[in-house]
Amino acid sequence: MAKRNSPPRWIWQQPDWPRFSVDQAVLATPLARTRRLQGELLGIARLLDPQQDLAAQMEVLALEGLKTSAIEGVELDQKSVRSSLARRLGLPTAGLPRPPRAVEGLVDVLLDATQQHEQELTLKRLAGWQAAIFPTGRSGLHEIRVGKLRGKSPMRIVSGPAGRERVHYVAPPQERLAAEMRAFLNWFEKPPTGLDGLVRAGIAHAWFELVHPFEDGNGRVGRALLDMALAQDERRSTRLYSMSARFMDVRDEYYAALERTSSGSLDVTHWVVWFLEQVEAAIRASESIVSSVLTKTRFWMRHSRTEVNERQLKALGRMLDALPAGFAGGMTNRKYAHLTGASPATSQRDLADLVAKKYLVLRGAGRSARYELADAGLL
């Protein structure tokens, strides 16, 4: 008896790969809902002045950098990320540490993907992003291929202990990668006529992750690529919501959705619906980012005629970052000294000066003395 061929296990083994399709009727409602929210957020964004727009870019990119790394289990120092971004965006860096090379590289990638979103996406550019994420050529203790496609070893995504691994996905073999990436990049630069920009962004992210072209860093590069596609869709380098932050909130669900897509048919409607739901959730969560930017802008506008030194600027910035909950326990002389490196006497003079200039108000006395933002109730 003739042996039947087993059905393809992975999506790239389908005979029509990579001819993705979607059911437009199923997408109509979630796409319309997401577009409405996106339009409302873009309307708010257009009301921001250049300084507010820059501040918003700082907040979103810092969140993006921290969360895209956290998804992969890499914890970055928030101050280092903000320091790298502040220097590149021309914002104050007082009191911020010198960032390590890996942070600088990731920030380079995020800025290139968003600020240069109109430039052509090439394999060389993607490989440069991957190399920037791993400036030492190592991922943890292991040496990896950087700036080039992965080698001949099978690319498998597995979980579980040795000997009892569960295989979640096996990516296309190395000998197919060059052709796979040519097909992807041609589609990305010249998508089908009439393909909605948000749908394109969702398919592009999944497609890149399915090819998994690099030995490591595919998740971070793929999310930077998603940032680029969204910037192209909105025609803005500044976005007021973070997809990586949303994916981190639902990380298990994110991986499960990609896994379902990896072994399914070329009809990716289910993935695009899920993706649109995440865009919608990310936009709804952006209220806190917008509020933070406007709060800080209003605060500095109220005090635009009074000068502060770098120590005071750093302390005020930290207190503003803690809103709306407020700086835990209020600012004290000891906290100020620890934060700024000033002596107790200098700290006391600086805080008294901020009270005199109506930046802060003093609550309590003696060891119970603490300082709060004077405008906290109005911000």
Side-chain angles (χ1 to χ4, degrees), residues 55-78 81-82 85 102-103 106-114 129 133 205 209 218-231 237-249 254 275 278-279 282-283 286 289:
Q57 189 173 3
M58 171 79 163
E59 296 298 325
V60 172
L61 287 174
L63 188 61
E64 191 71 23
L66 291 166
K67 298 301 183 179
T68 193
S69 299
I71 290 171
E72 310 301 326
V74 178
E75 299 296 329
L76 299 181
D77 177 63
Q78 182 180 17
V81 175
R82 296 184 72 87
L85 282 166
V103 169
L106 178 62
V107 168
D108 283 340
V109 171
L110 295 176
L111 289 174
D112 187 63
T114 52
W129 288 359
I133 294 171
H205 180 57
E209 298 305 326
N218 293 285
R220 279 161 282 183
V221 173
R223 286 184 290 275
L225 186 153
L226 173 58
D227 286 340
M228 181 178 181
L230 291 171
S237 61
T238 303
R239 200 167 67 256
L240 298 182
Y241 59 94
S242 166
M243 288 307 300
S244 288
R246 175 57 189 173
F247 289 156
M248 183 61 188
D249 286 344
Y254 170 52
F275 171 75
Q278 307 321 305
V279 175
I283 291 174
S286 68
I289 295 175

Side-chain angles (χ1 to χ4, degrees), residues 43-337:
I44 294 173
R46 293 188 183 100
L47 297 176
L48 301 178
D49 62 33
Q51 193 63 28
Q52 291 172 330
D53 201 47
L54 198 61
Q57 189 173 3
M58 171 79 163
E59 296 298 325
V60 172
L61 287 174
L63 188 61
E64 191 71 23
L66 291 166
K67 298 301 183 179
T68 193
S69 299
I71 290 171
E72 310 301 326
V74 178
E75 299 296 329
L76 299 181
D77 177 63
Q78 182 180 17
K79 296 178 187 175
S80 293
V81 175
R82 296 184 72 87
S83 174
S84 184
L85 282 166
R87 183 164 58 82
R88 285 164 170 74
L89 297 176
L91 296 169
T93 60
L96 292 173
R98 183 177 182 82
R101 289 170 60 195
V103 169
E104 294 275 53
L106 178 62
V107 168
D108 283 340
V109 171
L110 295 176
L111 289 174
D112 187 63
T114 52
Q115 293 188 338
Q116 309 299 325
H117 65 268
E118 295 181 350
Q119 292 187 8
E120 181 184 4
L121 184 66
T122 63
L123 181 56
K124 181 179 180 181
R125 190 174 179 188
L126 286 170
W129 288 359
Q130 190 255 2
I133 294 171
F134 301 102
T136 65
R138 290 179 174 274
S139 176
L141 298 176
H142 304 287
E143 188 173 345
I144 61 169
R145 292 167 66 94
V146 295
K148 59 184 73 172
L149 297 175
R150 55 181 159 83
K152 293 184 178 180
S153 298
M155 173 57 74
R156 304 192 312 158
I157 299 176
V158 301
S159 65
R164 291 185 293 165
E165 301 98 336
R166 177 192 168 198
V167 178
H168 297 273
Y169 181 57
V170 178
Q174 186 263 349
E175 60 267 21
R176 291 181 49 160
L177 287 182
E180 294 284 356
M181 290 307 294
R182 278 196 301 272
F184 170 74
L185 291 167
N186 287 338
W187 177 90
F188 189 84
E189 289 302 310
K190 297 178 181 178
T193 302
L195 182 65
D196 180 87
L198 284 176
V199 176
R200 169 180 174 263
I203 293 175
H205 180 57
W207 188 348
F208 180 86
E209 298 305 326
L210 291 168
V211 175
H212 234 66
F214 302 118
E215 190 170 325
D216 203 348
N218 293 285
R220 279 161 282 183
V221 173
R223 286 184 290 275
L225 186 153
L226 173 58
D227 286 340
M228 181 178 181
L230 291 171
Q232 290 174 339
D233 174 62
E234 297 181 354
R235 298 180 183 179
R236 280 178 53 88
S237 61
T238 303
R239 200 167 67 256
L240 298 182
Y241 59 94
S242 166
M243 288 307 300
S244 288
R246 175 57 189 173
F247 289 156
M248 183 61 188
D249 286 344
V250 291
R251 181 166 60 172
D252 290 346
E253 191 178 333
Y254 170 52
Y255 284 142
L258 285 172
E259 184 176 352
R260 285 194 301 273
T261 304
S262 72
S263 58
S265 72
L266 290 167
D267 182 339
V268 292
T269 303
H270 59 93
W271 160 260
V272 176
V273 168
W274 184 87
F275 171 75
L276 291 173
E277 290 171 349
Q278 307 321 305
V279 175
E280 180 183 350
I283 291 174
R284 292 188 185 281
S286 68
E287 180 181 345
S288 62
I289 295 175
V290 176
S291 175
S292 174
V293 169
L294 295 179
T295 292
K296 292 175 183 177
T297 301
R298 285 195 297 266
F299 180 85
W300 293 119
M301 285 180 64
R302 287 196 188 108
H303 299 285
S304 60
R305 295 184 181 181
T306 52
E307 295 184 1
V308 294
N309 61 42
E310 287 195 5
R311 296 184 303 274
Q312 293 170 320
L313 182 65
K314 180 179 181 180
L316 289 169
R318 188 66 61 85
M319 295 176 79
L320 284 167
D321 286 340
L323 291 174
F327 200 74
M331 180 62 71
T332 64
N333 191 59
R334 178 178 294 181
K335 290 179 184 177
Y336 187 94

